[in-house]
Every structure is written in structure tokens, then in C-alpha cells.
């Protein structure tokens, strides 16, 4: 039937349109890659002679290794603890441990510095008790930044690991126990190797988030390659040099993704079991207390304490002070307007991409549709620099043909920001809408077209109504991610245009912790929406954990993580 449909429907236009959209989406990436063809040797020489390149490389590598190791140990350990054992509060803590997903690293970072830094109450109390010479580890370091990243990013590994554990049969673990291995040894030798693809996927997400971070690392005086991109652009206004350093960041991202593919091999994320999953063991006595204490402590430091501190600041110092002035409403409107505009554009394009792939039904269309998701695998600063260079070239072209409007036309404008956001977050829309369209039988589409309905009519009358839930989820996820986004808006925002995330970063950089509390709480509140969606998948009904939803929740995590 598909052949008949292709002959009757004329899918050539959809393929051409899809390829055109793909070119527009991947153009910033191509611009970055092309920059390495004509390197600016002077900048690289300066970076080498001053030791800046060496420091950026070492800080980036050290931070990635520490965060990857920490999240792997903490995420996998908590997943094993809450899955293989029952203890007081285990069910509740099992899904509350996902809450740190709503805490952006740059918010936990400045709260941590305010409490544990040199001028914070913890070090002040230590100096009062033991004198000014009391040894305290330096918090503004790679290690300090790594702790913050581990606490905010471990849920990626945790959730994917729990899904993998749920899908394993208990047979291998029971055999290992029968051969005399203890619980931990059996888990290390049998369970964890089978969960390797999921653990690798989780660690990859963590490393990509760490690589793309821009604000947290600066709080802790860590100079990564991503910070180098921003500094070169803002300090030297050298687009070529910034593009080349961005290409280096892109190379690191590709190496991370390649390593994940290598570790995963031909396996999928699951290891389907042929029997019953592992039955949890009930802990009693000190073991149960210790298990509850470990989970509660992680949750306390990763979410409860920082959120509580922000709430105290907002109530005690922010209300009536600098936290609530005219700028809060103005920046909130800026953030919301930008996020909604980007979400509408991205989801609209995603709907066209997904439906074009369905109508065309060819390998070319499928490949083009996959390429439109490349922006989400790239660090935000790389996308921003690519868009900046691309639109600067467009400005020059417009001036060359006599369209010389006052100021820049597309660079440094809201248009450039929305374009960059759409490139960065289009994958969320494509995945959400695509998942909904997969539930629409292909025979339904083909039957309508054989009966004479054109592609446009099928799109309006069948596909869009039946994929409305996917469209809404895509809109929601992109709005949330756009509200949290910082590097892109910092690099591309028009003069005088600020958002909540930029405001938080600026206030925190000036150590105005209490003033940053209210906008930070607003970002966290919005970020709780996708976490609530995860909760709904994990605990769909009256607090009863649904095993079958674990794998789907992991897929959700991969969609918006």
C-alpha cells in the first residue's frame, strides 16, 4: 500500500522541505566545523604561551572524570539500595531522590558557596571554635564544582539504573549468591555488568551536562573549555577564535558520545529478563537506619537544604527588598516570552519534520529527520557561537544587497535567540511528537491518502488531532528547558535584554545571595514540572510504584535530560 500511496500522494515536496529544514538546523554546526579549516594561529599561540589552553584542558578533563565517577557511584549505589532492599521510607525516598533534577547546578552552586564558602556560616563557626588557622579544604576548586555537579546530576544515572535493574531477571544474582558471593560482590560481578548500557547512557548525559555548563564552574573558579569560548568572545570579540575553541568543545562532546556508543556496543538499554525480577530484601536494625540515613542525607544536601535556604532568603530578605522589584516581573516576562516563542517554533518545525518523514517514507527522509535532532547533543555555547557566526554572515549579505537597517538585523536580536533555542531544543519536540505519531497506525495514513485525501488534509484532520498530547508535552518540555538555559542567552541576548537565569547568574556572581533567591525559586518551581511528569510515570496511582513504567520513565528522562 505504501508504494501506491507514494505514487498517488507525491511525497517529493515533503522530502525537499524536510531537507531544507535540516540544512537550516545543522547550519550552525557546519559553521563551527568549517572554522577549523582556517585556524587563527595567533590566538592559539597566545593560549599556549600563557598556559590558558593547558589549564582549560586539565580543568575540563578533571571535572568530567570526577563528575562521571561520582555520579556513577552515587547514582548506581542509590539505585541498588532502593531497588534491592526495603527499609523505612524506602518507597518514598525511591522517587524523591529524583527531585534534584529540578535544581539547576548554577543555583545549587551559589547556595553551596554561601553556606560553605570562606564567608559562610560553616567556616565562620569553625574559625570561631578552632581559630583562624583551622584547615578547611578549598571549596572554589575543581573538586568543589564536582561535588555540586554530582549532587544535581546523579538522578540521570539513578533513574536509568533503576530501570535496568527492574528489567533484569533475578536468576544471575541468585546463582552468584549460591556460589558464596556476598550481596555487594554478586551485584558487582553480575548485576552491574548487565546494566552497563544504561549506566553508560546515564554517565554520558551527565558528562554532556557538565561540559555545557557555564555558570557553575565560574563560581568555583574552574576554567573549562566552555568558559574559554565565552571569554574569548566577550573579551576579544574574535568570532573566528571563539568558533575554533567551540569546535574543540564539539570534539570533546563527540568523543563522549563515541565512548558511550562503544561501551553500549550492540546492546539496548535493557537486558530483558526471562524470569521474575529480584525480590527486595528487608533490612532491619542498624542496617535499615543506615540505609534511610544515606538516602535522606543525599536528598537533604541535593535539594531540601538549598531549596529551604532559598525560601528563607526569599521570605526574610527578598520580599520588599531587591528580590521583588520591577525587574522581577520584567525578566519573568522576557523569560516566558522567549521560552514560549522558541517552543512554538520548535514544536511547529518538529511536527512538520515528523509528518514529512511519515509521508515521504524513505531512507533520505528518515536520515534528514534524525539530523534535525543534532542540536540537543551539542553544548549550548557551541550552538550559540555557530548561530552567531551564521547570522553575522547573513547581516553582511543583507547590507551587501542594500538592506542596511540601523544596527544589526539578525545578530544580537530576539530572532537570533529564538533560532538558537529552536536548534538546541528541536530534538525534544521531534521525540515527543514522533512518539505520539508512532501510535497512529500507518495503515490509517495510507488509507486516507488512497481515498484521495492530500497530505495536508491528512495532517490537519488525522495526524495533528491524534498527536495533540505529544505536541503539548513537547511544548512544555521546551518551555522548561528554555527557561533554565543560560549560555545561549548570555552569548546572544540583545543589549539590555535579561532573563531570570541571567539575573540569577549576575546576582550570584556579585555574591548577592538573598537577592537571587526569588528568581532562583521561580526557576526551580518551573523545573519541577518535568520531574512531576516523571513521578506520574513512576508512581501512577496512589503511591504504588509501577514496575512497567520504569522503562518508559527512563525513555522520558532521555527525552528531556
Amino acid at each position: 500500500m505504501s508504494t501506491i500511496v507514494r505514487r498517488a500522494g507525491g511525497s517529493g515536496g515533503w522530502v525537499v522541505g524536510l531537507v531544507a529544514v535540516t540544512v537550516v538546523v545543522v547550519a550552525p554546526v557546519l559553521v563551527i566545523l568549517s572554522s577549523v579549516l582556517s585556524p587563527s594561529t595567533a590566538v592559539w599561540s597566545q593560549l599556549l604561551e600563557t598556559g590558558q589552553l593547558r589549564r582549560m584542558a586539565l580543568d575540563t578533563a578533571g571535572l568530567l572524570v570526577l563528575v562521571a565517577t561520582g555520579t556513577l557511584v552515587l547514582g548506581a549505589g542509590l539505585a541498588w539500595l532502593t531497588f534491592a532492599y526495603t527499609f523505612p521510607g524506602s518507597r518514598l525516598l525511591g522517587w524523591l531522590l529524583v527531585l534534584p533534577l529540578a535544581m539547576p547546578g548554577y543555583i545549587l552552586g551559589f547556595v553551596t558557596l554561601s553556606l560553605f564558602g570562606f564567608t559562610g556560616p560553616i567556616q565562620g563557626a569553625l574559625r570561631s571554635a578552632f581559630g583562624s588557622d583551622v584547615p578547611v579544604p578549598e571549596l572554589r576548586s575543581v573538586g568543589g564544582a564536582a561535588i555540586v555537579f554530582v549532587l544535581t546530576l546523579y538522578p540521570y544515572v539513578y533513574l536509568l539504573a533503576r530501570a535496568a535493574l527492574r528489567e533484569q531477571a533475578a536468576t544471575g544474582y541468585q546463582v552468584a549468591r549460591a556460589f558464596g558471593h556476598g550481596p555487594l560482590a554478586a551485584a558487582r560481578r553480575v548485576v552491574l555488568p548487565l546494566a552497563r548500557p544504561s549506566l553508560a547512557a546515564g554517565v554520558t548525559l551527565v558528562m554532556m551536562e557538565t561540559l555545557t555548563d557555564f555558570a557553575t564552574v565560574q563560581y568555583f573558579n574552574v576554567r573549562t573549555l566552555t568558559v574559554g569560548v565565552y571569554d574569548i568572545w566577550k573579551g576579544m570579540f574574535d568570532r573566528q577564535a571563539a568558533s575554533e575553541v567551540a569546535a574543540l568543545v564539539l570534539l570533546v562532546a563527540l568523543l563522549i558520545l563515541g565512548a558511550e556508543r562503544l561501551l553500549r556496543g550492540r546492546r539496548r538499554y535493557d537486558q530483558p529478563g526471562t524470569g521474575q525480577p529480584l525480590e527486595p530484601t528487608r533490612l532491619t536494625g542498624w542496617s535499615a537506619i543506615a540505609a534511610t540515613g544515606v538516602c535522606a542525607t543525599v536528598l537533604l544536601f541535593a535539594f531540601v537544604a538549598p531549596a529551604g535556604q532559598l525560601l528563607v532568603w526569599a521570605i526574610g530578605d527578598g520580599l520588599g527588598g531587591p528580590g521583588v522589584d520591577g525587574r522581577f516581573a520584567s525578566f519573568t516576562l522576557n523569560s516566558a516570552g522567549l521560552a514560549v516563542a522558541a517552543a512554538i517554533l520548535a514544536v511547529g518545525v518538529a511536527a512538520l519534520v515528523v509528518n514529512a518523514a511519515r509521508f515521504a517514507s524513505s531512507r533520505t527522509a528518515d536520515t534528514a529527520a534524525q539530523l534535525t535532532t543534532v542540536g540537543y547533543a551539542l553544548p549550548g555555547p557551541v550552538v550559540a557561537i555557530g548561530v552567531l557566526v551564521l547570522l553575522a554572515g547573513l547581516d553582511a549579505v543583507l547590507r551587501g544587497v542594500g538592506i542596511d537597517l540601523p544596527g544589526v538585523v539578525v545578530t544580537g536580536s530576539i530572532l537570533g535567540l529564538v533560532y538558537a533555542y529552536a536548534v538546541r531544543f528541536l530534538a525534544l519536540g521531534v521525540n515527543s511528537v514522533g512518539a505520539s505519531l508512532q501510535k497512529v497506525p500507518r495503515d490509517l495514513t495510507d488509507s486516507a491518502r488512497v481515498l484521495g485525501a492530500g497530505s495536508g488534509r491528512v495532517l490537519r484532520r488525522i495526524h495533528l488531532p491524534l498527536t495533540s498530547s505529544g505536541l503539548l508535552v513537547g511544548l512544555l518540555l521546551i518551555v522548561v528547558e528554555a527557561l533554565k538555559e543560560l549560555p545561549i542567552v548570555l552569548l546572544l541576548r540583545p543589549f539590555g535584554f535579561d532573563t531570570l537565569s541571567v539575573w540569577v547568574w549576575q546576582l550570584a556572581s556579585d555574591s548577592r545571595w538573598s537577592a537571587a533567591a526569588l528568581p532562583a525559586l521561580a526557576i526551580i518551581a518551573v523545573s519541577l514540572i518535568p520531574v512531576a511528569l516523571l513521578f506520574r510515570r513512576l508512581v501512577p496511582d496512589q503511591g504504588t510504584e509501577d514496575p512497567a513504567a520504569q522503562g518508559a520513565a527512563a525513555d522520558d528522562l532521555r527525552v528531556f535530560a
Side-chain angles (χ1 to χ4, degrees):
M1 181 177 287
S2 297
T3 303
I4 298 174
V5 170
R6 281 197 296 270
R7 288 175 180 173
S11 59
W14 286 102
V15 175
V16 172
L18 180 55
V19 171
V21 169
T22 304
V23 170
V24 173
V25 172
V26 303
V29 182
L30 298 178
V31 167
I32 293 295
L33 292 176
S34 66
S35 67
V36 300
L37 300 177
S38 55
S40 53
T41 55
V43 174
W44 287 104
S45 298
Q46 181 182 359
L47 291 176
L48 285 170
E49 290 171 0
T50 58
Q52 296 182 60
L53 184 61
R54 179 174 177 274
R55 183 190 171 187
M56 288 190 291
L58 289 177
D59 280 4
T60 302
L63 188 63
L64 288 175
V65 170
L66 287 176
V67 175
T69 305
T71 52
L72 178 61
V73 172
L74 187 61
L78 290 173
W80 175 251
L81 186 61
T82 56
F83 176 79
Y85 300 98
T86 60
F87 46 86
S90 58
R91 177 170 294 176
L92 180 65
L93 288 167
W95 55 270
L96 281 180
L97 285 169
V98 187
L99 275 178
L101 277 177
M103 179 71 69
Y106 58 85
I107 293 178
L108 181 61
F110 82 74
V111 175
T112 302
L113 283 176
S114 70
L115 296 177
F116 296 94
F118 182 79
T119 58
I122 305 299
Q123 289 202 34
L126 289 174
R127 286 194 295 272
S128 298
F130 303 103
S132 59
D133 295 332
V134 59
V136 179
E138 178 56 57
L139 189 58
R140 292 182 184 270
S141 62
V142 173
I147 292 173
V148 169
F149 281 118
V150 169
L151 289 176
T152 55
L153 299 178
Y154 80 82
Y156 293 150
V157 179
Y158 169 77
L159 191 53
L160 290 171
R162 275 189 65 104
L165 293 173
R166 176 66 66 184
E167 292 160 352
Q168 284 187 26
T171 312
Y173 177 79
Q174 292 168 345
V175 170
R177 294 283 286 137
F179 274 89
H181 294 290
L184 291 179
R188 180 174 56 83
R189 295 175 68 92
V190 177
V191 178
L192 289 182
L194 291 176
R196 189 186 67 185
S198 293
L199 296 177
V203 172
T204 300
L205 288 171
V206 167
M207 295 178 76
M208 294 297 290
E209 289 290 329
T210 305
L211 182 64
T212 196
D213 181 86
F214 163 78
T216 312
V217 289
Q218 292 199 79
Y219 295 157
F220 288 85
N221 196 28
V222 177
R223 185 174 167 79
T224 61
L225 290 169
T226 301
V227 175
V229 174
Y230 179 81
D231 287 348
I232 289 174
W233 167 238
K234 287 297 182 182
M236 305 168 68
F237 289 100
D238 190 331
R239 292 175 185 161
Q240 176 65 24
S243 300
E244 292 168 21
V245 178
L248 194 56
V249 177
L250 177 59
L251 175 63
V252 175
L254 293 176
L255 288 174
I256 293 172
L257 293 174
E260 189 266 344
R261 295 287 179 182
L262 187 64
L263 285 173
R264 188 197 309 176
R266 295 183 178 179
R267 301 184 191 183
R268 288 179 54 80
Y269 287 93
D270 53 3
Q271 184 71 24
T274 55
Q276 293 296 317
L278 182 67
E279 286 294 328
T281 302
R282 184 175 182 80
L283 296 178
T284 58
W286 286 108
S287 298
I289 295 173
T292 303
V294 168
C295 294
T297 301
V298 172
L299 186 62
L300 175 69
F301 282 99
F303 187 83
V304 176
Q309 180 61 68
L310 289 172
L311 194 60
V312 169
W313 278 332
I315 294 175
D317 300 324
L319 294 178
V324 183
D325 56 21
R327 291 178 297 175
F328 180 75
S330 173
F331 296 161
T332 301
L333 287 176
N334 288 346
S335 297
L338 180 61
V340 170
I344 291 174
L345 175 63
V347 171
V349 173
L352 291 176
V353 166
V354 171
N355 282 280
R358 167 68 71 95
F359 291 137
S361 188
S362 66
R363 181 172 298 179
T364 301
D366 291 341
T367 303
Q370 286 296 319
L371 284 175
T372 61
T373 64
V374 69
Y376 204 61
L378 302 175
V382 174
V383 175
I385 291 296
V387 168
L388 184 68
V389 175
L390 185 67
L391 295 188
L394 181 57
D395 268 331
V397 171
L398 291 176
R399 284 194 295 271
V401 297
I403 306 176
D404 193 9
L405 299 176
V408 292
V409 180
V410 288
T411 56
S413 67
I414 298 296
L415 178 63
L417 265 177
V418 172
Y419 173 40
Y421 274 32
V423 171
R424 177 85 169 91
F425 302 124
L426 182 59
L428 299 174
V430 170
N431 289 342
S432 299
V433 180
S436 288
L437 189 59
Q438 284 181 355
K439 299 174 184 176
V440 179
R442 187 175 289 273
D443 288 346
L444 184 61
T445 304
D446 293 346
S447 299
R449 298 185 68 186
V450 167
L451 291 174
S455 301
R457 189 177 180 189
V458 174
L459 177 64
R460 292 192 307 273
R461 301 291 296 273
I462 298 177
H463 286 183
L464 289 182
L466 294 179
T467 58
S468 57
S469 61
L471 292 168
L472 287 174
V473 171
L475 276 171
L476 178 63
L477 295 179
I478 294 173
V479 166
V480 172
E481 288 296 310
L483 284 172
K484 294 162 54 180
E485 173 62 36
L486 180 60
I488 290 178
V489 71
L490 268 177
L491 285 165
L492 297 180
R493 63 187 166 133
F495 180 76
F497 182 87
D498 286 320
T499 63
L500 285 178
S501 59
V502 172
W503 198 28
V504 169
W505 178 71
Q506 290 173 336
L507 291 171
S509 298
D510 295 336
S511 300
R512 299 173 62 190
W513 318 119
S514 60
L518 191 60
L521 281 173
I523 293 174
I524 293 172
V526 174
S527 302
L528 283 172
I529 295 173
V531 177
L533 292 177
L534 274 178
F535 285 170
R536 191 172 179 182
R537 299 295 295 266
L538 288 169
V539 191
D541 219 11
Q542 299 179 354
T544 302
E545 190 172 355
D546 180 7
Q550 294 279 345
D555 291 339
D556 286 349
L557 177 66
R558 289 182 59 78
V559 167
F560 76 79

